[in-house]
Short mmCIF file of all heavy atoms in Angstrom, two decimals:
data_model
loop_
_atom_site.label_atom_id
_atom_site.label_comp_id
_atom_site.label_asym_id
_atom_site.label_seq_id
_atom_site.Cartn_x
_atom_site.Cartn_y
_atom_site.Cartn_z
N GLN A 1 56.82 35.88 98.04
CA GLN A 1 57.20 34.53 98.46
C GLN A 1 58.52 34.50 99.01
O GLN A 1 59.52 34.71 98.30
CB GLN A 1 56.95 33.56 97.34
CG GLN A 1 57.06 32.09 97.74
CD GLN A 1 56.69 31.09 96.71
OE1 GLN A 1 56.68 31.46 95.46
NE2 GLN A 1 56.22 29.98 97.03
N ALA A 2 58.63 34.15 100.27
CA ALA A 2 59.96 33.84 100.96
C ALA A 2 60.38 32.50 100.81
O ALA A 2 59.53 31.57 100.60
CB ALA A 2 59.93 34.20 102.38
N PRO A 3 61.70 32.17 100.81
CA PRO A 3 62.13 30.81 100.66
C PRO A 3 61.46 29.80 101.61
O PRO A 3 61.34 30.17 102.86
CB PRO A 3 63.64 30.84 100.96
CG PRO A 3 63.92 32.23 100.56
CD PRO A 3 62.85 33.02 100.97
N GLY A 4 60.92 28.69 101.03
CA GLY A 4 60.22 27.73 101.96
C GLY A 4 58.84 28.06 102.44
O GLY A 4 58.25 27.41 103.21
N LYS A 5 58.38 29.26 101.99
CA LYS A 5 57.04 29.78 102.40
C LYS A 5 56.06 29.78 101.26
O LYS A 5 56.49 29.83 100.14
CB LYS A 5 57.18 31.14 103.10
CG LYS A 5 58.14 31.20 104.32
CD LYS A 5 57.62 30.29 105.36
CE LYS A 5 58.62 30.59 106.67
NZ LYS A 5 58.15 29.74 107.77
N GLU A 6 54.80 29.89 101.55
CA GLU A 6 53.87 30.12 100.56
C GLU A 6 53.68 31.55 100.09
O GLU A 6 54.15 32.49 100.79
CB GLU A 6 52.38 29.65 101.14
CG GLU A 6 52.29 28.26 101.51
CD GLU A 6 50.87 27.86 101.91
OE1 GLU A 6 50.01 28.89 102.24
OE2 GLU A 6 50.52 26.66 102.03
N ARG A 7 53.26 31.65 98.83
CA ARG A 7 53.12 32.99 98.34
C ARG A 7 51.90 33.56 98.90
O ARG A 7 50.75 33.02 99.00
CB ARG A 7 52.94 32.99 96.80
CG ARG A 7 52.79 34.31 96.16
CD ARG A 7 53.17 34.21 94.65
NE ARG A 7 52.24 33.31 93.94
CZ ARG A 7 52.34 32.98 92.67
NH1 ARG A 7 53.41 33.40 91.97
NH2 ARG A 7 51.60 32.17 92.09
N VAL A 8 51.99 34.87 99.42
CA VAL A 8 50.90 35.57 100.04
C VAL A 8 50.61 36.85 99.33
O VAL A 8 51.55 37.46 98.71
CB VAL A 8 51.23 35.80 101.52
CG1 VAL A 8 51.34 34.48 102.28
CG2 VAL A 8 52.45 36.61 101.65
N GLY A 9 49.46 37.42 99.37
CA GLY A 9 49.15 38.60 98.77
C GLY A 9 49.46 39.86 99.75
O GLY A 9 49.20 39.80 100.95
N VAL A 10 50.21 40.83 99.15
CA VAL A 10 50.65 41.97 99.95
C VAL A 10 49.64 43.26 99.85
O VAL A 10 49.28 43.78 100.82
CB VAL A 10 52.06 42.32 99.42
CG1 VAL A 10 52.54 43.60 100.26
CG2 VAL A 10 53.04 41.22 99.60
N ALA A 11 49.35 43.41 98.65
CA ALA A 11 48.37 44.56 98.33
C ALA A 11 47.82 44.47 96.97
O ALA A 11 48.39 43.76 96.07
CB ALA A 11 49.27 45.88 98.44
N CYS A 12 46.71 45.05 96.83
CA CYS A 12 46.04 45.20 95.49
C CYS A 12 45.41 46.46 95.26
O CYS A 12 44.99 47.09 96.30
CB CYS A 12 45.09 44.00 95.21
SG CYS A 12 43.54 43.94 96.07
N ILE A 13 45.14 46.79 94.05
CA ILE A 13 44.50 48.04 93.71
C ILE A 13 43.57 47.91 92.56
O ILE A 13 43.82 47.17 91.63
CB ILE A 13 45.45 49.19 93.40
CG1 ILE A 13 44.73 50.66 93.31
CG2 ILE A 13 46.29 48.83 92.22
CD1 ILE A 13 45.78 51.72 93.33
N SER A 14 42.49 48.53 92.47
CA SER A 14 41.46 48.59 91.43
C SER A 14 40.94 49.98 91.39
O SER A 14 41.34 50.88 91.96
CB SER A 14 40.36 47.53 91.57
OG SER A 14 39.56 47.77 92.67
N TYR A 15 39.87 50.20 90.50
CA TYR A 15 39.40 51.50 90.29
C TYR A 15 38.84 52.20 91.45
O TYR A 15 38.78 53.38 91.61
CB TYR A 15 38.39 51.53 89.11
CG TYR A 15 36.98 50.95 89.56
CD1 TYR A 15 35.91 51.83 89.77
CD2 TYR A 15 36.83 49.58 89.64
CE1 TYR A 15 34.70 51.44 90.14
CE2 TYR A 15 35.58 49.13 90.07
CZ TYR A 15 34.53 50.06 90.30
OH TYR A 15 33.29 49.50 90.63
N ASP A 16 38.37 51.35 92.54
CA ASP A 16 37.72 51.92 93.64
C ASP A 16 38.20 51.31 94.94
O ASP A 16 37.61 51.64 95.98
CB ASP A 16 36.12 51.84 93.57
CG ASP A 16 35.70 50.33 93.59
OD1 ASP A 16 36.55 49.32 93.45
OD2 ASP A 16 34.56 50.03 93.69
N SER A 17 39.18 50.50 94.95
CA SER A 17 39.62 49.70 96.18
C SER A 17 41.09 49.62 96.26
O SER A 17 41.79 49.48 95.33
CB SER A 17 38.91 48.42 96.15
OG SER A 17 37.58 48.52 96.20
N THR A 18 41.58 49.56 97.50
CA THR A 18 42.96 49.11 97.83
C THR A 18 42.85 48.28 99.09
O THR A 18 42.13 48.48 100.01
CB THR A 18 43.89 50.25 98.04
OG1 THR A 18 43.46 51.13 99.20
CG2 THR A 18 44.16 51.15 96.89
N TYR A 19 43.72 47.17 99.03
CA TYR A 19 43.82 46.35 100.33
C TYR A 19 45.24 46.06 100.51
O TYR A 19 46.01 45.95 99.68
CB TYR A 19 42.93 45.01 100.06
CG TYR A 19 41.46 45.28 100.00
CD1 TYR A 19 40.81 45.39 98.78
CD2 TYR A 19 40.73 45.37 101.14
CE1 TYR A 19 39.46 45.52 98.69
CE2 TYR A 19 39.42 45.62 101.13
CZ TYR A 19 38.74 45.65 99.84
OH TYR A 19 37.33 45.77 99.82
N TYR A 20 45.54 45.77 101.83
CA TYR A 20 46.74 45.40 102.33
C TYR A 20 46.78 44.24 103.37
O TYR A 20 45.84 44.21 104.08
CB TYR A 20 47.48 46.65 103.00
CG TYR A 20 47.71 47.85 102.06
CD1 TYR A 20 46.72 48.87 102.07
CD2 TYR A 20 48.94 48.11 101.40
CE1 TYR A 20 46.88 49.94 101.13
CE2 TYR A 20 49.06 49.09 100.51
CZ TYR A 20 48.01 50.08 100.51
OH TYR A 20 48.25 51.12 99.77
N MET A 21 47.76 43.48 103.30
CA MET A 21 47.98 42.50 104.36
C MET A 21 48.31 43.29 105.61
O MET A 21 48.92 44.21 105.64
CB MET A 21 49.00 41.45 104.05
CG MET A 21 50.41 41.84 103.85
SD MET A 21 51.51 40.60 103.43
CE MET A 21 51.38 39.53 104.81
N ASP A 22 47.97 42.69 106.84
CA ASP A 22 48.02 43.45 108.06
C ASP A 22 49.50 43.85 108.40
O ASP A 22 49.73 44.94 108.89
CB ASP A 22 47.49 42.64 109.17
CG ASP A 22 45.98 42.49 109.21
OD1 ASP A 22 45.35 43.33 108.51
OD2 ASP A 22 45.43 41.59 109.94
N SER A 23 50.49 42.96 107.97
CA SER A 23 51.90 43.17 108.44
C SER A 23 52.44 44.38 107.71
O SER A 23 53.59 44.83 108.13
CB SER A 23 52.68 41.95 108.32
OG SER A 23 52.75 41.53 107.01
N VAL A 24 51.92 44.88 106.68
CA VAL A 24 52.43 46.01 105.89
C VAL A 24 51.74 47.28 105.95
O VAL A 24 52.19 48.21 105.45
CB VAL A 24 52.67 45.63 104.36
CG1 VAL A 24 53.53 44.27 104.21
CG2 VAL A 24 51.31 45.49 103.63
N LYS A 25 50.48 47.26 106.54
CA LYS A 25 49.63 48.42 106.72
C LYS A 25 50.47 49.51 107.45
O LYS A 25 51.14 49.29 108.45
CB LYS A 25 48.42 48.07 107.45
CG LYS A 25 47.38 47.30 106.70
CD LYS A 25 46.17 47.10 107.50
CE LYS A 25 45.13 46.29 106.70
NZ LYS A 25 43.95 46.04 107.44
N GLY A 26 50.49 50.62 106.91
CA GLY A 26 51.17 51.91 107.40
C GLY A 26 52.57 51.95 107.00
O GLY A 26 53.21 53.01 107.24
N ARG A 27 53.09 50.97 106.35
CA ARG A 27 54.39 50.96 105.82
C ARG A 27 54.51 50.86 104.32
O ARG A 27 55.40 51.49 103.64
CB ARG A 27 55.27 49.78 106.37
CG ARG A 27 55.42 49.77 107.90
CD ARG A 27 56.38 48.71 108.34
NE ARG A 27 55.95 47.34 108.03
CZ ARG A 27 56.62 46.44 107.22
NH1 ARG A 27 57.74 46.84 106.74
NH2 ARG A 27 56.18 45.34 106.97
N PHE A 28 53.53 50.25 103.66
CA PHE A 28 53.48 49.96 102.16
C PHE A 28 52.44 50.72 101.63
O PHE A 28 51.29 50.89 102.25
CB PHE A 28 53.41 48.59 101.77
CG PHE A 28 54.54 47.67 102.05
CD1 PHE A 28 55.59 48.12 102.90
CD2 PHE A 28 54.63 46.49 101.53
CE1 PHE A 28 56.70 47.38 103.14
CE2 PHE A 28 55.67 45.57 101.77
CZ PHE A 28 56.81 46.04 102.60
N THR A 29 52.65 51.36 100.41
CA THR A 29 51.53 52.07 99.64
C THR A 29 51.51 51.59 98.28
O THR A 29 52.51 51.75 97.62
CB THR A 29 51.75 53.55 99.80
OG1 THR A 29 51.76 54.03 101.18
CG2 THR A 29 50.66 54.22 99.09
N ILE A 30 50.33 51.13 97.71
CA ILE A 30 50.26 50.78 96.35
C ILE A 30 49.54 51.93 95.70
O ILE A 30 48.63 52.55 96.22
CB ILE A 30 49.40 49.48 96.22
CG1 ILE A 30 49.48 48.98 94.78
CG2 ILE A 30 47.93 49.67 96.65
CD1 ILE A 30 48.87 47.52 94.58
N SER A 31 49.96 52.23 94.44
CA SER A 31 49.32 53.29 93.65
C SER A 31 49.44 53.04 92.29
O SER A 31 50.20 52.02 91.78
CB SER A 31 50.17 54.65 93.96
OG SER A 31 51.51 54.49 93.63
N ARG A 32 48.79 53.81 91.36
CA ARG A 32 48.58 53.52 90.01
C ARG A 32 48.77 54.76 89.17
O ARG A 32 48.19 55.94 89.66
CB ARG A 32 47.16 52.85 89.63
CG ARG A 32 46.92 52.58 88.30
CD ARG A 32 45.49 51.88 88.21
NE ARG A 32 44.44 52.86 88.64
CZ ARG A 32 43.31 52.47 89.18
NH1 ARG A 32 43.26 51.17 89.63
NH2 ARG A 32 42.48 53.34 89.58
N ASP A 33 49.41 54.79 88.12
CA ASP A 33 49.54 55.97 87.23
C ASP A 33 48.99 55.49 85.83
O ASP A 33 49.70 54.74 85.10
CB ASP A 33 51.12 56.36 87.05
CG ASP A 33 51.24 57.64 86.28
OD1 ASP A 33 50.38 57.90 85.44
OD2 ASP A 33 52.24 58.30 86.45
N ASN A 34 47.87 55.86 85.60
CA ASN A 34 47.10 55.39 84.30
C ASN A 34 47.86 55.89 83.14
O ASN A 34 47.90 55.19 82.15
CB ASN A 34 45.66 55.84 84.40
CG ASN A 34 44.91 55.20 85.44
OD1 ASN A 34 45.11 54.08 85.87
ND2 ASN A 34 43.80 55.82 85.95
N ALA A 35 48.35 57.13 83.07
CA ALA A 35 49.01 57.59 81.97
C ALA A 35 50.23 56.88 81.59
O ALA A 35 50.54 56.79 80.42
CB ALA A 35 49.39 59.19 82.25
N ARG A 36 50.91 56.29 82.63
CA ARG A 36 52.15 55.60 82.34
C ARG A 36 51.82 54.08 82.37
O ARG A 36 52.67 53.19 82.10
CB ARG A 36 53.20 55.84 83.43
CG ARG A 36 53.64 57.27 83.45
CD ARG A 36 54.80 57.47 84.48
NE ARG A 36 55.28 58.81 84.51
CZ ARG A 36 56.32 59.18 83.83
NH1 ARG A 36 56.97 58.45 82.96
NH2 ARG A 36 56.70 60.47 83.87
N ASN A 37 50.54 53.65 82.60
CA ASN A 37 50.13 52.27 82.60
C ASN A 37 51.07 51.48 83.57
O ASN A 37 51.60 50.48 83.22
CB ASN A 37 50.08 51.72 81.29
CG ASN A 37 49.22 50.39 81.15
OD1 ASN A 37 48.17 50.42 81.76
ND2 ASN A 37 49.64 49.41 80.45
N THR A 38 51.19 52.04 84.77
CA THR A 38 52.24 51.46 85.73
C THR A 38 51.56 51.50 87.16
O THR A 38 50.89 52.38 87.48
CB THR A 38 53.61 52.23 85.71
OG1 THR A 38 54.09 52.19 84.43
CG2 THR A 38 54.54 51.59 86.73
N VAL A 39 51.88 50.39 87.88
CA VAL A 39 51.44 50.19 89.28
C VAL A 39 52.74 50.19 90.04
O VAL A 39 53.71 49.50 89.75
CB VAL A 39 50.59 49.10 89.48
CG1 VAL A 39 50.34 48.84 91.01
CG2 VAL A 39 49.29 49.25 88.77
#
């Protein structure tokens, strides 16, 4: 969420899927480390 703007979804991850908003595709990467319980 930027100042004065609505909150928007950037990326998400689940056991079988990842999604990105168009403006960050190719630049952002979401990942998960189950052993560390960290995204």
